[in-house]
Amino acid sequence: MKMEWTPQQDGLREILTLLKESQSPDTATQRTVQQKLEELNKYPDFNNYLMFVLTKLNSEDEPTRSLSGLILKNNVRTHYNNLQVNVTNFVKNECLQAVGDPSPLIRATVGILITTIASKGDLSSWPELLPALCTMLDSQDYNVCEGAFGALQKICEDSAEALDADTTNRPLEILIPKFLQFFNHSSPKIRSYAIGCVNQFITHRAKALMSHIDSFLTNLFHVATDDDPEVRKNVCRALVMLLEVRLDRLIPQIENIIEYMLVRTQDGDEGVALEACEFWLSLAEQPVCRNVLGPYLSRLIPVLVRSMKYSEIDIILLKGDVEEDESVPDRDEDIRPRFHKSKTTIKANSTTQNGTNPENGTVETDDDFDDGDDGDDGSLSDWNLRKCSAAALDVLANVFREDLLPILTPILKETLFHQDWNIKESGILALGAIAEGCMSGMINYLPELIPYLFSCLNDKKALVRAITCWTLSRYSHWVVSQPHDLYLKPLMTELLKKILDGNKRVQEAACSAFATLEEEACTELVPYLGFILETLVFAFSKYQHKNLLILYDAIGTLADSVGHHLNKPDFINMLMPPLIQKWNILKDEDKDLFPLLECLSSIATALQSGFLPYCEPVYCRCVSLVQHTLYLQMANLQNPDQFDAPDKDFMIVALDLLSGLAEGLDGHIEKLVQNSNIMELLHHCMQDSMPEVRQSSFALLGDLTKACFQHVRPRIPDFLPILGQNLNPEYISVCNNATWAIGEISIKFGAETRHYIPLVLSQLIEIINRPNTPKTLSENTAITIGRLGFVCPHDVAPMLQQFVRQWCISLRNIRDNEEKDNAFRGMCQMIQLNPGGVVNDFIFFCDAVASWITPKDDLKEAFIKILHSFKTQVGPENWRRFSDQFPPQLNERLSQLYGI
């Protein structure tokens, strides 16, 4: 039975008036319209009117009809479950009638509406949808076929998994063969839709697609050289995804595919070239890359380097002809949203040999090119062919290493010294891209190249100066290892000059490059600190909004790199006034606080007592930021309609800065903690649903435990159970900080910790024995277990056998310090109480003990006692057999250190 519904003319007029008014540029009018539309939602058939305007009211202009459909779509999305059945049915019916509307805009709007209904109500509640669309694909009317395909592509995007699920009888089994028939349709738009639909199922490895994989490939190769760029783009996209999920099916054709992608990477349409260029990035990750791509390198590398040139449109968008723009204020849309990257809050027990923290790791390749290579802003911050080609060259350099250089060297010689600035710029980018992979092969050329790059920093083209900063930063590891007068001093001097360049892009590139140099050089920069600070502080008065944010990062990184060497009155008086001035100007809801708080956090840790004059206002503001965010979150949970969810980054960065203060000021923070409600707030933060908030709060808890335990102590019954619940290695950094905080608390709490050992010990043992536990986490876990054994040996020793081997392996590589000392004292006490627990793994204990360089005298005595009593117990013959298994170095260390 067909449902009859007809609109009343008054209602129709009212809605059309609203639709017209909503297109007004005046915001007040728009707000009024918005309110009226919300009120109309109370009438059940309001949505029928919207549907009628979209599909039946041909007398109206298309934008108004389309707008009606989009308002209906929003209503469906927000109120779907409250819609009356007859309204939903009316809308569904009308949608199917209108799929083939003569207007492309109306067809597209109907397609969006169909997808929204399908995803809100799930496919099973609209069983006639897919069969109807499938039938329409065969229609002789182009509009019907194209409209049905448009709707299907959106459904495939939004509901890919549902289409391949048993609950929906796997409609894909019918859809995939159907789509494949359309790969050779006469209309390029239909061909493109058909491939686009199938592409949605590649990464899911949908069963229906995998069973038709051969037919898919045959059809794909058939349209590989299609005249239409959208079709070629979809073919390239399909091959890139197949490379990751079904390499086995591509291998027989891999030579043809590589030939094809070489041509497509040079396609006249940049969108196609970009999709094709992704192929090289993906292929580099496959183990077969070296074998299959080796023969093509001499043709591929020149193509990639050519693609690294700025296109003419890039140069226009980048205002590449504007050299001096430092006094032009930034527009808000030029500043990309900056996501807080938690950097201070992965708490390791400062024990790793090389002092680096694997989880604070280095920048991933793609990020490097997506962020740092050419300091793009605005319209060009998106991934483009230039960046993709540079990233591809980088990953290929990591696969082929020096073997790339015979092909690259002549290209670099030609491009680096080219008269055309744009070609020269692309050569400098290529030189930076290969820095990591080809480093050992480049070493012979660097004494010549680095001074040449210094000269490029003074090129008259700003884009050349900017890329040169980045490329030099990629070689900063080598620069730091050479005599300072030859390279480090000139590099530092030149980069500092560029930090004060008249061009904003160059300022940005120089600041980022200098931050990289700071990380490499660390305390090597101490002799030049005065000079560095003068420049960075001068930049404050010079920089526009966007670059100020990068300047904060350079200053924070400097503080991380030189540490307490910054704590000199002259340096403090230079650095702090401009930072505090910015701090006072910024409002609590201004996102510019993130980089400033991060920067101050690094400075507080470095300056230690030197930060005292500034600590009170900074501390109070951080506490109020945490409190305000928690308050907004509470409001949002109670009234989600009235209050938006807050941006928790404010809270995370404030917690991190409080950690920096606690660590830097040590006992001096006690008074501030006493006069605030931070412990109460911390209790809430530790239970937050967002892992990053918990991670930062556990870090702060550990730091406050070290700095002023008297304020932590009364809250231990609240805090320790929460720490125990967070010993979950799924969230590595959260788990790491919870583990570290438990260790810090146990050392201060002493024997009283015993009540809480059942809450944490079994999880810690599980974590240390898990395969693939990251190094920092296993070291932290071992130290915390050792500390628990130190303060409560009777409670931990009975479990010794379950963890002693992994414990010894985890701690054999860390340097001597306080935490290692605590942990080994705990181990010695546990062995004395339960010697049987170590018997099977005694060789591991010997190895761990031998890793000490200079244990304290009483600890050394404890080691000697355990080693000698073990030797006495087994008897000389057994000991000789046992120690014959030791590597010679270990025997030597044990006899040297402990006379055994």
Side-chain angles (χ1 to χ4, degrees):
M1 177 183 103
K2 187 157 180 350
M3 285 153 297
E4 291 303 329
W5 177 88
T6 44
Q8 293 179 350
Q9 289 310 307
D10 295 352
L12 202 53
R13 264 197 301 278
E14 187 186 348
I15 285 171
L16 284 173
T17 311
L18 276 179
L19 290 170
K20 293 274 191 276
E21 283 176 356
S22 74
Q23 295 170 59
S24 147
D26 175 48
T27 44
T29 312
Q30 283 180 356
R31 210 169 298 131
T32 318
V33 171
Q34 205 49 48
Q35 278 170 335
K36 284 187 186 158
L37 287 171
E38 273 305 315
E39 282 163 24
L40 285 170
N41 264 316
K42 297 192 182 97
Y43 298 98
D45 62 353
F46 169 50
N47 291 306
N48 294 16
Y49 279 94
L50 292 172
M51 192 72 210
F52 184 84
V53 174
L54 170 65
T55 58
K56 294 279 196 292
L57 209 58
N58 297 337
S59 55
E60 274 306 318
D61 62 278
E62 288 180 10
T64 302
R65 290 172 60 198
S66 172
L67 180 63
S68 179
L70 294 174
I71 292 170
L72 175 54
K73 176 210 66 168
N74 289 338
N75 287 346
V76 168
R77 182 180 289 155
T78 324
H79 307 295
Y80 184 79
N81 296 326
N82 304 328
L83 295 181
Q84 292 183 359
V85 177
N86 58 350
V87 173
T88 318
N89 289 340
F90 176 77
V91 171
K92 286 177 178 176
N93 268 349
E94 290 297 314
C95 277
L96 290 178
Q97 302 292 318
V99 164
D101 193 281
S103 149
L105 178 62
I106 302 302
R107 287 202 299 275
T109 312
V110 170
I112 292 169
L113 185 52
I114 288 176
T115 322
T116 311
I117 298 170
S119 62
K120 285 307 283 189
D122 89 48
L123 288 165
S124 53
S125 65
W126 193 356
E128 60 275 20
L129 172 65
L130 292 173
L133 291 174
C134 252
T135 310
M136 290 180 203
L137 291 182
D138 296 321
S139 168
Q140 293 307 300
D141 180 343
Y142 171 79
N143 291 339
V144 174
C145 176
E146 196 264 3
F149 247 128
L152 277 166
Q153 186 175 9
K154 295 186 184 81
I155 292 170
C156 291
E157 266 175 49
D158 288 357
S159 311
E161 289 186 14
L163 289 168
D164 192 34
D166 290 328
T167 48
T168 45
N169 300 328
R170 295 193 185 279
L172 266 199
E173 303 284 359
I174 297 162
L175 287 172
I176 295 279
K178 188 88 179 164
F179 293 150
L180 293 176
Q181 292 168 12
F182 285 88
F183 276 34
N184 55 9
H185 193 276
S186 58
S187 150
K189 183 138 196 202
I190 301 283
R191 295 197 295 276
S192 180
Y193 269 145
I195 307 167
C197 284
V198 180
N199 282 358
Q200 297 300 328
F201 303 99
I202 299 177
T203 44
H204 294 299
R205 297 172 194 262
K207 271 190 191 164
L209 175 56
M210 292 305 140
S211 57
H212 290 91
I213 193 84
D214 293 330
S215 164
F216 176 41
L217 285 169
T218 310
N219 281 292
L220 208 52
F221 294 143
H222 187 73
V223 286
T225 54
D226 201 281
D227 293 340
D228 184 76
E230 281 306 311
V231 174
R232 298 198 301 278
K233 209 183 281 187
N234 272 328
V235 171
C236 292
R237 201 171 289 163
L239 289 169
V240 171
M241 291 190 282
L242 286 165
L243 190 61
E244 289 171 22
V245 296
R246 286 309 302 264
L247 180 62
D248 58 321
R249 310 304 294 171
L250 297 190
I251 286 289
Q253 292 287 336
I254 196 76
E255 289 168 2
N256 294 335
I257 293 171
I258 289 173
E259 288 284 359
Y260 173 69
M261 287 299 190
L262 262 168
V263 175
R264 288 286 82 92
T265 307
Q266 305 168 74
D267 198 286
D269 181 289
E270 185 171 327
V272 178
L274 175 57
E275 290 293 344
C277 193
E278 295 280 353
F279 180 80
W280 314 115
L281 274 174
S282 288
L283 185 56
E285 289 174 7
Q286 303 297 334
V288 297
C289 179
R290 230 189 135 84
N291 291 339
V292 299
L293 197 56
Y296 298 90
L297 284 181
S298 57
R299 289 162 60 203
L300 171 62
I301 298 304
V303 169
L304 290 177
V305 177
R306 273 202 303 279
S307 306
M308 284 154 69
K309 224 172 66 171
Y310 279 123
S311 67
E312 285 172 27
I313 189 91
D314 290 347
I315 295 169
I316 294 165
L317 290 170
L318 286 167
K319 307 185 182 69
D321 51 343
V322 178
E323 295 303 319
E324 293 275 334
D325 63 355
E326 64 172 351
S327 52
V328 179
D330 292 330
R331 300 172 309 164
D332 284 347
E333 56 268 33
D334 290 340
I335 296 159
R336 282 198 272 170
R338 188 181 172 292
F339 300 102
H340 165 63
K341 290 195 286 293
S342 176
K343 77 176 173 188
T344 56
T345 61
I346 295 174
K347 289 294 181 179
N349 281 295
S350 59
T351 44
T352 333
Q353 284 292 36
N354 57 4
T356 58
N357 189 331
E359 277 170 283
N360 291 359
T362 47
V363 187
E364 294 291 314
T365 307
D366 290 7
D367 290 352
D368 233 2
F369 292 102
D370 203 16
D371 261 20
D373 75 355
D374 37 15
D376 289 345
D377 63 29
S379 50
L380 258 170
S381 59
D382 300 328
W383 192 234
N384 57 18
L385 181 60
R386 165 189 165 86
K387 291 180 174 183
C388 189
S389 306
L393 184 59
D394 180 348
V395 291
L396 292 172
N398 276 298
V399 172
F400 289 96
R401 305 276 168 192
E402 287 60 63
D403 299 348
L404 221 53
L405 289 178
I407 300 162
L408 253 173
T409 314
I411 298 174
L412 286 173
K413 278 190 177 136
E414 187 192 333
T415 51
L416 283 171
F417 305 99
H418 205 281
Q419 289 307 298
D420 178 342
W421 73 266
N422 196 3
I423 293 174
K424 173 177 169 178
E425 194 276 349
S426 68
I428 298 172
L429 170 56
L431 181 61
I434 60 166
E436 194 187 331
C438 300
M439 187 50 123
S440 54
M442 290 301 297
I443 284 175
N444 299 331
Y445 302 102
L446 291 179
E448 238 176 291
L449 277 174
I450 299 288
Y452 172 67
L453 288 173
F454 290 160
S455 73
C456 296
L457 283 175
N458 298 309
D459 193 279
K460 62 180 195 300
K461 273 292 184 194
L463 291 172
V464 173
R465 301 199 296 280
I467 199 63
T468 305
C469 292
W470 178 76
T471 292
L472 279 165
S473 77
R474 299 270 290 177
Y475 289 97
S476 53
H477 183 73
W478 179 82
V479 165
V480 171
S481 67
Q482 302 303 304
H484 287 193
D485 286 351
L486 280 179
Y487 302 107
L488 178 62
K489 270 167 83 171
L491 174 59
M492 197 177 59
T493 312
E494 291 302 320
L495 282 179
L496 288 169
K497 279 187 205 157
K498 294 306 118 190
I499 283 176
L500 303 178
D501 196 273
N503 180 277
K504 290 194 286 193
R505 185 174 311 283
V506 178
Q507 295 171 357
E508 177 184 359
C511 242
S512 298
F514 198 75
T516 306
L517 179 65
E518 289 167 344
E519 286 173 339
E520 285 292 348
C522 291
T523 49
E524 309 276 345
L525 295 177
V526 171
Y528 317 109
L529 264 177
F531 176 41
I532 294 170
L533 286 171
E534 272 171 31
T535 307
L536 296 181
V537 168
F538 185 67
F540 262 111
S541 58
K542 201 174 162 65
Y543 277 15
Q544 298 294 336
H545 185 181
K546 182 183 174 193
N547 285 350
L548 262 183
L549 309 185
I550 294 157
L551 182 61
Y552 293 143
D553 186 53
I555 291 172
T557 307
L558 180 68
D560 292 337
S561 302
V562 300
H564 65 90
H565 296 284
L566 205 53
N567 189 7
K568 295 213 165 60
D570 290 358
F571 297 160
I572 296 173
N573 294 337
M574 228 189 295
L575 185 57
M576 289 308 294
L579 287 170
I580 292 297
Q581 186 203 354
K582 297 285 176 203
W583 168 265
N584 290 332
I585 296 170
L586 288 176
K587 296 191 169 65
D588 273 0
E589 53 281 358
D590 192 327
K591 289 200 161 120
D592 285 6
L593 269 178
F594 298 164
L596 178 55
L597 283 158
E598 282 170 17
C599 171
L600 284 171
S601 172
S602 295
I603 290 173
T605 311
L607 292 185
Q608 296 174 346
S609 59
F611 198 77
L612 272 175
Y614 309 96
C615 67
E616 189 164 353
V618 172
Y619 177 90
C620 294
R621 186 165 190 182
C622 286
V623 172
S624 90
L625 278 170
V626 174
Q627 184 161 340
H628 185 59
T629 312
L630 285 171
Y631 169 74
L632 291 176
Q633 186 180 339
M634 196 79 79
N636 165 255
L637 288 173
Q638 287 166 357
N639 290 313
D641 297 342
Q642 274 176 287
F643 298 98
D644 290 336
D647 183 341
K648 290 186 185 175
D649 279 353
F650 284 106
M651 180 154 74
I652 295 168
V653 189
L655 290 166
D656 289 353
L657 177 44
L658 288 170
S659 265
L661 291 176
E663 200 178 327
L665 300 173
D666 204 33
H668 294 295
I669 201 167
E670 189 273 326
K671 277 275 177 288
L672 296 169
V673 173
Q674 186 181 351
N675 297 326
S676 71
N677 60 340
I678 188 64
M679 288 300 165
E680 185 57 43
L681 300 174
L682 195 52
H683 187 220
H684 288 291
C685 295
M686 287 169 63
Q687 298 171 81
D688 198 272
S689 58
M690 189 176 177
E692 291 79 0
V693 175
R694 301 200 301 279
Q695 176 186 333
S696 291
S697 34
F698 299 152
L700 176 56
L701 175 60
D703 283 321
L704 290 174
T705 300
K706 290 171 80 169
C708 52
F709 183 63
Q710 65 268 49
H711 296 302
V712 175
R713 185 184 202 114
R715 305 299 303 246
I716 285 177
D718 300 328
F719 289 166
L720 262 169
I722 298 172
L723 291 171
Q725 286 155 17
N726 279 276
L727 296 176
N728 171 8
E730 225 177 291
Y731 300 103
I732 295 290
S733 307
V734 178
C735 184
N736 214 340
N737 287 1
T739 304
W740 174 77
I742 290 166
E744 291 298 339
I745 288 172
S746 65
I747 284 296
K748 296 280 191 179
F749 204 33
E752 291 179 67
T753 312
R754 63 174 311 180
H755 305 299
Y756 300 98
I757 282 182
L759 288 177
V760 299
L761 185 59
S762 55
Q763 286 107 298
L764 291 169
I765 293 173
E766 202 177 309
I767 291 166
I768 203 168
N769 287 317
R770 262 173 68 121
N772 308 326
T773 296
K775 190 160 163 283
T776 316
L777 181 56
S778 56
E779 287 170 4
N780 264 345
T781 307
I783 282 178
T784 295
I785 292 173
R787 288 175 142 187
L788 292 171
F790 179 50
V791 294
C792 304
H794 290 278
D795 301 86
V796 187
M799 319 286 269
L800 187 56
Q801 198 170 348
Q802 293 179 32
F803 61 77
V804 65
R805 174 184 292 205
Q806 270 315 121
W807 189 96
C808 293
I809 292 170
S810 300
L811 294 189
R812 67 186 293 275
N813 282 330
I814 64 174
R815 53 172 180 241
D816 297 5
N817 67 8
E818 178 88 19
E819 288 112 340
K820 183 175 174 179
D821 180 276
N822 294 161
F824 272 84
R825 285 175 193 277
M827 180 50 78
C828 291
Q829 289 187 355
M830 291 187 280
I831 290 175
Q832 280 159 1
L833 287 171
N834 178 13
V838 76
V839 170
N840 295 337
D841 300 305
F842 198 70
I843 186 168
F844 292 95
F845 177 72
C846 297
D847 185 42
V849 162
S851 75
W852 277 87
I853 310 295
T854 48
K856 290 183 183 157
D857 291 345
D858 58 338
L859 182 60
K860 188 172 176 178
E861 281 306 312
F863 291 158
I864 291 171
K865 189 173 164 190
I866 290 171
L867 293 170
H868 283 272
S869 71
F870 190 84
K871 182 177 176 179
T872 312
Q873 273 186 315
V874 298
E877 189 56 35
N878 285 336
W879 177 262
R880 195 174 52 72
R881 273 209 298 276
F882 176 63
S883 60
D884 281 349
Q885 306 165 40
F886 293 179
Q889 279 165 304
L890 177 55
N891 264 324
E892 203 178 306
R893 293 276 305 152
L894 290 172
S895 84
Q896 215 178 5
L897 272 170
Y898 310 111
I900 190 142

